[in-house]
Amino acid sequence: MGDYVTIYTTTGKITIHTNLKALESKLPSSMFMRVHRSFMISLLHLQSIEENKLQAGTTTLPIGEAFRSKLIKRLKIIR
C-alpha cells in the first residue's frame, strides 16, 4: 500500500499514513518485531512458529528469510 500501514488489533483494524520502517522505529523493540518486509508483530501475540510461518492469534503470517534468524535468536532470549 505504499506509505500506508494497516494495523490489526484484537478489536479491529486501523490504516495510517506511514511506512513500516518509520513505524518500527517508533514502537518499543522489546514488544514488537519485524518478521517480513510487509509484516511486524507484537511478540505478546506470537503463538507458534512452523518452518517459514508464524501464528499470531487467528492469523498466519509468513516469516521472511532475512528475518527468520533474528526472530529465532530473539525468542531464545525471551524464553
Side-chain angles (χ1 to χ4, degrees), residues 4 8 11 13 20 29 31 33 36 40-41 46 51 55-56 59 64 66 70 74-78:
Y4 287 89
Y8 291 87
T11 58
K13 66 180 182 176
L20 270 181
S29 61
M31 296 178 66
M33 185 167 187
H36 186 275
M40 287 183 69
I41 62 158
L46 177 62
E51 296 186 25
Q55 191 72 31
T59 304
K70 289 179 186 177
R74 178 78 173 280
L75 292 177
K76 286 182 182 178
I77 292 170
I78 293 172

Side-chain angles (χ1 to χ4, degrees), residues 42-71:
S42 164
L43 295 173
L44 297 174
H45 294 279
L46 177 62
Q47 293 177 319
S48 64
I49 297 175
E50 200 171 303
E51 296 186 25
N52 63 348
K53 295 181 182 178
L54 63 83
Q55 191 72 31
T58 58
T59 304
T60 302
L61 296 173
I63 301 171
E65 284 185 39
F67 301 93
R68 184 171 172 70
S69 63
K70 289 179 186 177
L71 177 62

Side-chain angles (χ1 to χ4, degrees), residues 22-38:
L23 183 61
E24 184 178 17
S25 71
K26 293 176 185 175
L27 293 171
S29 61
S30 61
M31 296 178 66
F32 293 88
M33 185 167 187
R34 188 114 176 226
V35 295
H36 186 275
R37 69 183 187 120
S38 300

Side-chain angles (χ1 to χ4, degrees), residues 1-14:
M1 277 179 45
D3 284 343
Y4 287 89
V5 173
T6 301
I7 300 169
Y8 291 87
T9 70
T10 56
T11 58
K13 66 180 182 176
I14 305 161

